[in-house]
């Protein structure tokens, strides 16, 4: 498997420049991971599939879903792609490389775990700032147009928010200067995480049922349902920041009440 990956990577190096692989390649990886993981949740909602696992009973109209997709494409090509192009020199300056040999799985997994932890910390505080009155009204309210989120709404946001919270995603790689393949993996995993958190479905196989401290769809869906001053659950991936700073009290109370109702029913 390792030799196959190295052979495929050698082919890319022989046919594309470092700039193309970083900027355009990064954009292709992002778009592929985002739409391939997010579109199924639109189909589930429209067809009524997996209804018993849907967190909210409300659904989005096809028109609302189409509006989301149209604006996302505009934001991705007009904001995300230029950011990838402009930040290329920064990543090179910080030590990112694309040459062979590829890094070991230990190095890759350690860096990606560090990125998740750092991103979650930075995102938590940035997200709390976006829930202050002025910034929510003029910036973050765009993301909260969808009180019943679906996978693709994870990146539906004001351009200023894309820049503001996007910093949380790139700060880890900017500090460590990883191999490009590590950056590809980090982008893909971060997208899969945020799409799942906004999916609107909590399945028996959802990651939060197996991974300690992982928030997931149930945790973040609560954030979208409530008034911005009372929502809490500001973290992107994990739950410990909200627990440490007491911004998940409403969510934990609701969970406790639901568990008590279930126990009474039994």
């Amino acid at each position: 498997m390792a030799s196959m990956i190295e052979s495929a990577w050698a082919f890319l190096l022989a046919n594309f420049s470092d700039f193309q692989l970083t900027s355009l390649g990064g954009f292709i990886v992002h778009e592929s991971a985002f739409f391939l993981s997010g579109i199924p949740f639109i189909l589930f909602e429209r067809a009524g599939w997996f209804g018993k696992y849907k967190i909210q009973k409300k659904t989005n109209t096809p028109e609302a879903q189409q509006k989301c997709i149209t604006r996302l494409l505009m934001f991705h090509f007009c904001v995300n792609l230029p950011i990838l192009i402009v930040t290329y020199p920064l990543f090179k300056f910080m030590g990112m490389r694309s040459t062979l040999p590829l890094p070991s799985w230990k190095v890759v997994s350690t860096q990606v775990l560090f990125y998740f932890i750092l991103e979650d910390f930075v995102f938590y505080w940035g997200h709390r700032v976006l829930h202050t009155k002025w910034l929510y009204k003029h910036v973050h309210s765009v993301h909260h147009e969808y009180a019943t989120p679906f996978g693709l709404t994870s990146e539906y946001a004001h351009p200023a928010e894309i820049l503001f919270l996007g910093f949380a995603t790139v700060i880890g790689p900017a500090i460590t200067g990883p191999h490009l393949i590590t950056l590809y993996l980090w982008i893909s995993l971060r997208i899969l995480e945020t799409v799942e958190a906004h999916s609107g479905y909590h399945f028996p196989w959802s990651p939060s049922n197996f991974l300690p401290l992982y928030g997931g769809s149930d945790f973040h869906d609560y954030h979208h349902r409530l008034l911005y001053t009372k929502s809490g659950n500001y973290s992107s991936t994990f739950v410990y920041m909200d627990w440490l700073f007491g911004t998940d009290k409403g969510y934990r109370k609701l969970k406790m009440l639901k568990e008590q109702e279930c126990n009474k029913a039994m």
Side-chain angles (χ1 to χ4, degrees):
M1 176 63 77
S3 61
M4 289 177 60
I5 295 174
E6 288 209 347
S7 297
W9 196 259
F11 173 81
L12 292 175
L13 291 176
N15 290 276
F16 300 96
S17 70
D18 190 67
F19 172 77
Q20 289 173 327
L21 289 173
T22 303
S23 300
L24 301 181
F27 184 72
I28 291 170
V29 168
H30 175 279
E31 297 302 285
S32 299
F34 181 69
F35 284 104
L36 288 176
S37 63
I39 287 177
F41 293 107
I42 288 182
L43 301 179
F44 295 166
E45 192 172 57
R46 288 191 182 185
W49 298 339
F50 303 109
K52 67 177 180 178
Y53 301 122
K54 198 170 187 310
I55 299 169
Q56 298 186 48
K57 299 307 176 186
K58 293 186 294 182
T59 59
N60 294 281
T61 64
E63 291 75 19
Q65 293 172 338
Q66 184 59 50
K67 173 189 172 184
C68 176
I69 294 172
T70 301
R71 290 199 179 182
L72 280 170
L73 289 171
M74 180 180 69
F75 291 157
H76 284 184
F77 280 95
C78 297
V79 181
N80 293 20
L81 180 57
I83 288 174
L84 284 170
I85 293 172
V86 170
T87 56
Y88 170 73
L90 172 63
F91 280 105
K92 293 300 292 182
F93 176 77
M94 298 303 290
M96 188 189 73
R97 66 179 183 88
S98 59
T99 55
L100 293 171
L102 298 177
S104 69
W105 68 268
K106 289 183 180 180
V107 171
V108 173
S109 57
T110 301
Q111 288 182 332
V112 169
L113 178 60
F114 170 68
Y115 300 160
F116 267 114
I117 294 171
L118 181 60
E119 190 277 340
D120 190 69
F121 177 83
V122 176
F123 186 98
Y124 174 84
W125 292 110
H127 197 183
R128 284 193 68 171
V129 169
L130 286 173
H131 274 261
T132 54
K133 187 175 181 178
W134 190 91
L135 283 174
Y136 184 89
K137 179 180 179 180
H138 296 282
V139 179
H140 194 48
S141 60
V142 174
H143 182 64
H144 279 268
E145 284 180 21
Y146 292 89
T148 306
F150 54 94
L152 295 184
T153 60
S154 56
E155 293 193 359
Y156 182 87
H158 191 286
E161 180 175 342
I162 295 172
L163 294 171
F164 187 54
L165 291 183
F167 173 75
T169 302
V170 302
I171 185 173
I175 290 172
T176 61
H179 193 281
L180 181 57
I181 201 168
T182 306
L183 187 63
Y184 282 179
L185 179 62
W186 161 237
I187 290 172
S188 300
L189 291 176
R190 175 69 181 101
I191 288 170
L192 292 176
E193 178 276 320
T194 192
V195 166
E196 191 276 331
H198 289 82
S199 67
Y201 290 83
H202 185 70
F203 299 109
W205 55 86
S206 292
S208 57
N209 293 328
F210 307 100
L211 300 177
L213 304 179
Y214 182 85
S217 55
D218 187 63
F219 185 80
H220 193 71
D221 200 273
Y222 174 87
H223 174 82
H224 275 263
R225 294 198 303 270
L226 269 66
L227 186 68
Y228 79 96
T229 55
K230 301 179 180 179
S231 55
N233 290 17
Y234 298 113
S235 295
S236 59
T237 304
F238 305 111
V239 299
Y240 57 83
M241 287 292 291
D242 283 284
W243 178 78
L244 283 172
F245 294 97
T247 48
D248 66 345
K249 291 180 180 178
Y251 172 74
R252 286 190 285 118
K253 183 178 180 180
L254 180 63
K255 292 276 287 184
M256 184 180 66
L257 291 173
K258 286 184 176 180
E259 289 174 3
Q260 290 176 350
E261 289 178 3
C262 288
N263 291 333
K264 288 179 180 178
M266 294 173 64

